[in-house]
Amino acid sequence: MAQLTLLTKLETSSKRVKGLDFHPKRPWVIASLHNGLIQLWDYRIRTLIDKFDEHDGPVRGIAFHPTQPLFVSGGDDYKIKVWNYKLRRCLFTLLGHLDYIRTVRFHHEYPWILSASDDQTIRIWNWQSRQCIAVLTGHNHYVMCAAFHPAPNPKEDLVVSASLDQTVRIWDLTGLRKKTVSTGGFDNSLQLSQNVDLFGNPNVVVKYVLEGHDRGVNWASFHPSLPLIISAADDRYVKLWRMNETKAWEVDTLRGHMHNASCAMFHPRQELILSASEDNTIRVWNMPNRTAIQTFRRERDKFWILASHPEKNLFAAGHDSGLIVFKLERERPAYVTFKGTLFYVKERYLRTYDFATTRDVPVMSIRKSIAKNPRGLCYNPAEKAVLLCSDVDGGTHELYKIPSDARSGDSVESMRGSGGSAIFIKRNRFAVLDVKAQSILLKNLKNEVSKKIPVPVPCDLIFPAGLSGILLRSEDKIMLFDLQQKKVTAEITAPNIKYVFWSNDKQGHVALMGKDNLVLATRKLEQLSSVHETIRLKSGAWDENGAFIYTTLNHIKYCLVNGDHGIIRTLDVPIYVTGVRGNKVYCLDREVKNRVIAIDSTEYMFKLALLQRRFNDVAKMIKPGQSNLVGQSIIAYLQTKGFPEFALYFVKDTKTKFNLALECGNIDVAQACAKELDDKDCWHRLGVEALRQGNHQVVEKAYQSTKNFERLSFLYLITGNAEKLQKMLKIAEYRNDVMGRFHNALYLGDVAERVRILEEVGQLPLAYATAATHGLTEEAEAIKEKLEGKVPDLLPETSTQLFVPPLPVMCLHETNWPLLNISSGPAVPVDRSGKFDQGPDEEDADEGEWGDEPVDNGSHAADPLAGSDEEPEWGKDDGGDIGLDDDGDGWDQGGSLDGLDEVALPGKTDFFVAPRAGQDFAQLWCANSKLAADHAAAGSFDSAMDLLNQQVAVVHFAPLKQFFMTLYLGSRASFTGVIGTSSIISGLSRNVDQVPSNKGLPALSIDLQSLIDRLKIAYKATTGGKFAEALTHFLYIIHALLFVVVDNRQSQNEVQELLELCREYVTGIRMELAKKDFAAQPLRQLELAAYFTQCKLQPIHRMLSLRSAMKSAYRLKNLQTAASFARRLLELAPKNEIATEARKVIRAAEGNPRDESPIDYDERNPFVMCGISFTPIYKNKPSVQCPYCGASFLPNHQGKLCPTCQLSEIGKSVTGMKSMAGRE
């Protein structure tokens, strides 16, 4: 038999433990101590849960009830106490014994308690009636223990008892059961309790008396299923007994203990016997051949009691200084996963399990000695070989080659070697750790040693780490050892690591797992994060997204590389994760059965998306109905990690939402919350943040709400709003606010008002001085009379000017200043209420306005930035010829100077040389980029047009003029030069750090976010039925997208998605507007309405188009088509009145499912619309596309101008649109 190992799960330190018992369901063990204390421990988290202290003196017996929240204790105070561990108190005390109580037990079915005492009796109590129902007499010395038979079978109404009178007695309770249980229960129990005789009970008889021990017997117990009894005695022997219906006899004696044997018991599920002794040992015996197979020893502690868990492979032992909870063998199966296939050992076979097909087949049989309890499994896919490691004989490994045509019964030869830690390192090499010699043996597949490498530090375990390295475990470190260089290249502090898991991603992360600690690190062992658990870790695996999924005894958890971790779900039984695929965890249980557990990965996928900055995925997850992310924890997490814009979506509390909105700079949501809260402090904070962003309209609202008139007046001053300043002057006068009136008059430059205010408050000298200096002669003379000769002296007239507030250059009180971009994080679509913005609001829909406004279908997109049609004649020479080439003959030079020919100059030639002019920034921009936007910003319009023609076949450039000018002007700044010189023009770069190396690129005034804002305006116009306005906005976006430059693939995808979205809307709106040209052809109008419903629109717009088409079809009595539209409409969950209308249409069509006037429309056959003829082009039919917007057309329209984008030539071959620098 394989050597057993005592695996300690809990070890406590206390006074001597005399009694032990496991809870049948909860992870608890209860211990009674020699000092009178009762301790309740959770062995899973190794924590003391509770203590009970009411006994006087030692407590020797303790037991849990199998189903009720009760336990019973018996002590040297002659008392039996019944406790409720939920109420944490003693319920009642049973009195009757006359000496120490040794053991107590609950019956597994009846309301009985069994107690054994030094008064030489055994008593049976009914704990419901709290009465003694039987006294078992016959022993003539202390009764050391008594126990019910554990089998739930009426035929086994037996009790076994052991006494210091050297006997073991078997008692038959059949009569007692019939008297108390079968015929009325409580009443009979009460009657029996009144007739209890100290000299015996006729309802309980002694069935057998077992004699064979030479000294007192300390313990006896039944086998759970076989007719066997085990006993332990002071004669140092453990005896095995067998019984049948008529007799009982001794089977064998187990010799080996060197002192009194204090306890013995059967293993619940294996053919083993465990015994404890005062010789400081626990011995494990093989029951079939009655030989000792393992001994566990403590140096200074005697063992007194043993207990086993009724369901799990757990044991407990009490000794002089505490207790230990342990297992006798590992329950973790040996397994390894390779590319979706699990290799694992079960019974005597190596098996494979396919995750995709769930096919589980045996591959080959393996040697019994190592198959019993293998420690590890390593797989070599190149040679189809496996290494099995075991602790047998001090550590061994066996090498197997998997046959290609293996069947379940095949036996394969193996090669065995010493060393319990072995791993594959190459295709035909594996490494074995020789712990004794502290060296690594490199072997070939013939199990021959090819090289021996000494390890630099003592180690006891090795793990795989790629082709040329291994991981060494040494004390509290893991080291990366390079086998070629023969040195340690990296190390990390990680104590007691038992398992290593490598990820399959490019980063090559590794998870190091110990008993209760987990460390995530890089391939070079640079620590990323660590987690400490109070419950033991069991297994783990990386999922395909880079999250590490691991299990404890009762949870499936996750850990990310940034340290975030949490619980995914709870477990009923421990499992060992073998793989993670999506929302499924593949695992093995302790019965070595494959299981698939469904998990909700939303939480860790959400955090992982934030960590990897995949904000599109984050936005999808927080959409309503997409996830169940709720609670304060996710809000706190987002706020801690610096994503308040996402946390804003989850908040329900208005105050918290307001604080988050300010933190992420969402003024709209903050303003809505401030209105709801109507708190002065909130309005003040909102005003401060809005002013920081330049949103003076919200600042004005905040100042008005807090009645902060002084700041409000100054705001009107700096925004040039003289009209409201005048109102503020009147408000101050109404409030009798003298200083407010004076300040407003000063801001307005109203001298007469200032004079009047000064005069009203009695400041006549100041009033006179103000009037006189500002030229108000009449007012000055009137005040002078009131001064009665006390006229102040005025300053003499000088060249100085009086202070008058300057007039604003631009009055911006009607629109906000250019707003500050306050967030560097992701743009989260959140509406004013803080909810996720799903596009246009259904409440804004006014179905009556759809289709009522005429529009010029050929009009171009308009923009207020568009310049005049009159362009300057660039390049003309405004200055005349100033004669630089003339010789200056009109000047009198007086001829040449004589005598200078002989004068010699010094040899020095280092004259100052002026620096060469640098290259113009506009030329550099063109040289550094092949993007049309950069060339337009540089002013090279010709090259920009050429690029647009090559990339997307633009042939009509008139709509793009405004964008060319906007880019050109927006990329330059003008600085005032020296007086008398012209201004200095400087280029503005978007990559300032690259400018010194002549790799600068222009700053662009057209960006993606501004187009998204315009998209919302277009949505609103579409919802309101203002199709002409909506068409203008969508065309503007399509044209502007040509000049949007992004710096990552995600933003480039957003540009393409926005272009496709606008194309669908332009096509749909053009068809809606075209319906007015067919007023006399209702069928053609119905066709266009039906085609409109096939455009990929927002749900609210698709709902409006479907309702319009449904009504048109119903009016023309095309009931079948109308019902089809109605069904699609109901799928969008419209309002109740619209849904009712749609159901009525469907009901009407059920009675007459036909169309009176068929149209060219088949919703079951996929099609796209021709953008010119507005006819469907069905699947697999020839078509041509616009190179830019992607609109489809019939082949006969090739070469025409695309009417959708109004820019490109249909069907022309191009290189494709470019929107990322450096990706040409």
Side-chain angles (χ1 to χ4, degrees), residues 137 279 320 411 504 689 708 826 965 978 1196:
T137 60
D279 63 1
D320 285 339
S411 179
N504 294 322
E689 178 62 24
N708 197 331
M965 296 303 300
V978 181
N1196 60 321

Side-chain angles (χ1 to χ4, degrees), residues 894-915:
S896 60
L897 297 176
D898 298 329
L900 291 181
D901 295 337
E902 289 79 17
V903 177
L905 294 174
K908 188 176 180 180
T909 60
D910 54 346
F911 292 109
F912 171 75
V913 178

Side-chain angles (χ1 to χ4, degrees), residues 694-824:
N695 194 332
H696 65 79
Q697 293 177 345
V698 175
V699 177
E700 178 185 359
K701 175 65 177 176
Y703 289 168
Q704 289 174 353
S705 300
T706 57
K707 294 182 172 57
N708 197 331
F709 298 110
E710 291 80 5
R711 293 188 178 187
L712 196 57
S713 296
F714 190 75
L715 178 68
Y716 292 148
L717 171 66
I718 62 178
T719 56
N721 197 338
E723 180 182 353
K724 289 192 176 180
L725 265 177
Q726 193 69 40
K727 291 182 179 180
M728 292 301 297
L729 180 62
K730 294 179 181 179
I731 292 172
E733 184 176 0
Y734 177 78
R735 295 174 56 242
N736 293 322
D737 183 3
V738 177
M739 288 305 298
R741 287 177 63 194
F742 188 81
H743 284 154
N744 283 297
L746 189 64
Y747 294 158
L748 286 167
D750 191 342
V751 181
E753 181 66 21
R754 285 159 54 194
V755 172
R756 186 163 54 252
I757 295 169
L758 291 171
E759 189 176 0
E760 288 177 2
V761 297
Q763 296 288 342
L764 295 179
L766 286 176
Y768 172 75
T770 303
T773 54
H774 286 83
L776 302 179
T777 308
E778 295 180 3
E779 288 82 353
E781 290 298 327
I783 298 172
K784 186 176 181 180
E785 294 176 0
K786 297 179 181 180
L787 288 173
E788 299 176 355
K790 298 180 180 179
V791 180
D793 296 331
L794 302 179
L795 294 174
E797 294 186 5
T798 62
S799 59
T800 58
Q801 295 180 351
L802 297 171
F803 173 74
V804 177
L807 295 176
V809 178
M810 296 179 65
C811 294
L812 295 175
H813 56 271
E814 295 181 357
T815 58
N816 274 323
W817 299 327
L819 296 184
L820 173 67
N821 184 14
I822 52 89
S823 176
S824 61

Side-chain angles (χ1 to χ4, degrees), residues 52 97 219 286 410 485 547 835 952 1005 1093:
F52 306 90
H97 280 296
W219 199 266
N286 187 322
D410 290 347
Q485 302 179 31
K835 297 179 181 178
V952 289
S1005 53
T1093 65

